[in-house]
Amino acid sequence: MYRFARAWVAGLFFAAGAFDGAAAQVPQAGDIGRGKLVFEQNCAVCHAAVMGPGNTLITRQGPSLVGVLGRLAGTVPGFNYTHALSQAGLSWDTATLDRFLANPAAAVPGTTMPVSVPDAGDRSQLIAYLSTLKRPSQAVSEESAAPAPPSVPAGHLSDWDRVAPGVAHLLTLSDLPAPYSTSSSGNGPQVVRQPSHATLSVPPGFTVRLFAAGLSNPRIVRVAPNGDIFVAETSADRIRVLRAADGAEIPSANQIFSDGLNRPFGIAFYPPGNDPQWVYVANNNSVVRFPYRSGDFEARGKPEVIVPLLTDGRGGHSTRDVAFSTDGKQMFISVGSGSNVAESMSKKGTEAVARWEAEHGQGAAWDAEANRADILVTDPEGHAPLRAFATGIRNGVGIAVDPGTGELWTSTNERDGLGDDLVPDYITHVKEGGFYGWPWYYLGNHEDPRHAGERPDLAGKAIVPDVLLQAHSASLEMSFYTATSGVAAFPAEYHGDIFAALHGSWNRSTRTGYKVVRVRLEHGVATGEYEDFLTGFVVDPRSVWGRPVGVAVAHDGALLVSEDGNGTLWRVAYTGR
């Protein structure tokens, strides 16, 4: 029941155009079978390679790649293309695809396309496979196949037009519909500039102000003990540092801390406490660190590699977060799945499963999903073998350690394709050795119909998370509110609660998310309830102007919120006193 009180669109991979404009291209030489595997490992989580019923294009977070060769780039209605890509004037032939896939940012400066295929052989095979994806002659155009703006049903209080600061939500297992109760939607947002009339809303007593603009794909935000603000500009492969005096509404300094990274996301300071000696950064497939002294505005040299390889799987969810236990002895790393629901994972017999789980943990996935959909753990030096701390967590984008209890928590994106209200995203404390369901089950003993009957041994084994969020909200970074003093500090009732950024839906007919929520805790235990805190990023059923990603507590007690739609950072302060 509800009680009143997802990334940028990841589908920029090939930016398939809205019509078949150019003549068919000559297929690239390559192994089509291998190319299909490359597609499944790198692209399938965001893009479809088949037609839907009635020869309609299947939309996911990105456009269908059926018939991509010969199309114009960046012209499918309803997708969040960058201005750079939509104005590039490219037609996707084999040579252009090859150049773009090798280095998207070099081929189209300004694109936020996050995935490259650096190996020339992989690109050749992938393009060979894409050349086989032909549209039937009777297929309707993408324009007519694009979903009409959805009507707004008498739906949930979390729908975009019903949100407001203070609106509370409590979603329980009894509220879950059956799979496929509604159709699966492809309803990606069109990101626009902030309209002149658009404002953000916060609870009474709070103010929200633009803190910084012109950032390049700002994602996770972390604050150093001295107050410096570290921002991962993921698509630009760099970490930025901002500095502001307590109470200041804009930064006084702004500089690149380090660049040349590989899709950096997670940032953590080590050891825990007021005098860290290292800044750790979670790249797409590794963890590195930089020597650090309080106040450093630039990295002291090249990064030291701590974990050289997180997983052999490629593509799929690319964000990795990193956090340390309160005693500094454990380093946690979140690694999202390579697919929606392990569609291409092979089947194993009972004995093979037992052998695999003995080494990788209960419910651990395999093949290209090995060491994925997990939270991994090692020591801060990376000496201990990398192992699963918890499994079946589809995409634990944000992780954080509760400074009061020492428990690890995660903010998780669940799977798509089962309808508007399945599967709820969640925020939960993470039990060591725990299995959270993916891909076979969700939210306890709910079996995913796409894996029906495959793992009866796991029935009843999946842990039910603490806080269920509206399905498809795309919960990203989370942060515990720890400030007890400061000119912008929140009232005492907020201390110990969680703030989480909801990036916003694409797989739901009525938009949800696009806000920051407060998760209530009592003595370190979640009540199951969350409430809207910062709202106002949605313009109308089709358009949004902001997509929240990062949340962090500033030195003066303000809450900092990044959004990657327009590259801005916002500051929420309490002024009610």
Side-chain angles (χ1 to χ4, degrees):
M1 61 177 288
Y2 280 89
R3 183 173 67 80
F4 186 84
R6 183 190 152 347
W8 69 95
V9 170
L12 296 177
F13 193 71
F14 297 143
F19 53 87
D20 290 328
Q25 304 296 312
V26 176
Q28 176 86 3
D31 184 329
I32 293 172
R34 171 62 184 170
K36 182 178 181 181
L37 180 61
V38 174
F39 173 85
E40 290 171 346
Q41 292 180 342
N42 290 272
C43 325
V45 73
C46 296
H47 299 272
V50 296
M51 301 293 291
N55 289 326
T56 57
L57 292 176
I58 297 174
T59 54
R60 294 179 178 168
Q61 293 193 65
S64 171
L65 297 186
V66 175
V68 62
L69 286 169
R71 294 179 176 177
L72 297 181
T75 50
V76 171
F79 288 100
N80 175 25
Y81 297 113
T82 59
H83 179 78
L85 188 57
S86 61
Q87 299 299 311
L90 297 179
S91 179
W92 295 124
D93 56 26
T94 54
T96 305
L97 272 178
D98 185 74
R99 186 170 66 254
F100 184 76
L101 291 173
N103 190 332
V108 182
T111 182
T112 55
M113 158 63 186
V115 178
S116 64
V117 184
D119 183 83
D122 285 348
R123 292 198 305 276
S124 172
Q125 293 156 354
L126 177 57
I127 294 170
Y129 172 64
L130 294 176
S131 72
T132 69
L133 304 181
K134 305 294 186 181
R135 294 186 56 194
S137 59
Q138 69 269 32
V140 294
S141 70
E142 280 89 349
E143 181 96 33
S144 61
S151 60
V152 180
H156 300 278
L157 291 176
S158 57
D159 290 349
W160 74 271
D161 60 336
R162 296 170 176 233
V163 302
V167 173
H169 313 274
L170 180 62
L171 181 62
T172 69
L173 296 182
S174 63
D175 298 310
L176 299 184
Y180 308 120
S181 294
T182 60
S183 60
S184 181
S185 298
N187 185 25
Q190 181 66 42
V191 177
V192 300
R193 294 191 180 278
Q194 181 181 357
S196 58
H197 64 276
T199 59
L200 294 175
S201 298
V202 287
F206 292 84
T207 60
V208 56
R209 299 281 188 272
L210 178 65
F211 184 70
L215 304 177
S216 177
N217 188 222
R219 304 287 277 167
I220 225 166
V221 181
R222 295 275 157 79
V223 177
N226 77 324
D228 285 347
I229 302 158
F230 284 64
V231 182
E233 293 183 301
T234 301
S235 65
D237 293 332
R238 66 194 183 200
I239 303 295
R240 181 179 295 275
V241 182
L242 308 175
R243 180 170 293 167
D246 286 358
E249 294 190 349
I250 60 172
S252 59
N254 182 334
Q255 182 172 315
I256 303 300
F257 179 78
S258 179
D259 58 11
L261 298 167
N262 180 11
R263 283 178 276 166
F265 190 76
I267 302 169
F269 302 94
Y270 182 82
N274 293 324
D275 187 27
Q277 304 297 300
W278 302 93
V279 177
Y280 280 70
V281 175
N283 282 317
N284 172 247
N285 207 18
S286 67
V287 177
V288 300
R289 70 181 182 184
F290 298 91
Y292 176 75
R293 298 295 179 271
S294 180
D296 280 357
F297 224 52
E298 186 175 351
R300 295 171 173 248
K302 295 182 178 180
E304 176 187 354
V305 177
I306 300 300
V307 181
L309 187 68
L310 296 173
T311 174
D312 290 329
R314 298 176 297 172
H317 296 111
S318 63
T319 54
R320 314 286 181 248
D321 202 1
V322 60
F324 293 98
S325 59
T326 53
D327 62 9
K329 295 181 179 180
Q330 292 179 300
M331 178 171 66
F332 306 106
I333 310 155
S334 62
V335 181
S337 69
S339 62
N340 179 37
V341 65
E343 298 89 341
S344 301
M345 192 168 65
S346 65
K347 305 298 188 292
K348 285 183 181 290
T350 302
E351 293 184 0
V353 166
R355 289 193 299 270
W356 179 264
E357 290 189 339
E359 183 177 351
H360 296 88
Q362 183 182 52
W366 51 82
D367 292 344
E369 299 290 355
N371 268 15
R372 305 198 67 157
D374 294 340
I375 293 177
L376 307 175
V377 65
T378 181
D379 64 89
E381 301 296 326
H383 296 324
L386 199 63
R387 63 177 178 86
F389 183 83
T391 60
I393 298 174
R394 179 179 177 262
N395 190 20
V397 181
I399 58 174
V401 172
D402 184 340
T405 66
E407 289 182 320
L408 177 69
W409 287 68
T410 183
S411 165
T412 299
N413 283 193
E414 255 293 350
R415 68 207 77 184
D416 301 314
L418 294 181
D420 275 359
D421 297 313
L422 287 179
V423 171
D425 295 333
Y426 60 82
I427 293 171
T428 191
H429 82 284
V430 182
K431 180 180 179 181
E432 184 170 8
F435 168 60
Y436 289 81
W438 189 90
W440 297 282
Y441 292 85
Y442 60 89
L443 309 185
N445 198 29
H446 294 82
E447 188 174 39
D448 192 305
R450 294 162 292 193
H451 290 284
E454 292 180 8
R455 293 296 304 274
D457 58 303
L458 292 176
K461 301 292 181 61
I463 295 172
V464 178
D466 297 325
V467 183
L468 306 186
L469 308 173
Q470 175 60 53
H472 312 300
S473 293
S475 184
L476 299 190
E477 189 185 357
M478 59 168 287
S479 181
F480 287 91
Y481 190 83
T482 55
T484 57
S485 62
V487 296
F490 293 8
E493 66 188 80
Y494 286 85
H495 191 265
D497 285 351
I498 292 170
F499 286 96
L502 307 189
H503 198 229
S505 62
W506 71 268
N507 190 220
R508 197 167 187 275
S509 60
T510 305
R511 208 166 300 290
T512 191
Y514 307 94
K515 59 187 177 182
V516 174
V517 299
R518 172 193 180 189
V519 176
R520 291 181 173 271
L521 274 68
E522 294 181 357
H523 306 292
V525 178
T527 66
E529 185 178 82
Y530 68 99
E531 66 182 38
D532 301 340
F533 181 77
L534 174 65
T535 65
F537 289 107
V538 183
V539 178
D540 54 43
R542 171 59 66 192
S543 304
V544 305
W545 66 266
R547 305 199 70 182
V549 179
V551 287
V553 181
H555 189 265
D556 64 3
L559 188 72
L560 301 172
V561 178
S562 67
E563 66 81 24
D564 61 11
N566 275 287
T568 58
L569 186 63
W570 296 80
R571 179 178 181 271
V572 181
Y574 183 69
T575 56
R577 64 179 66 84

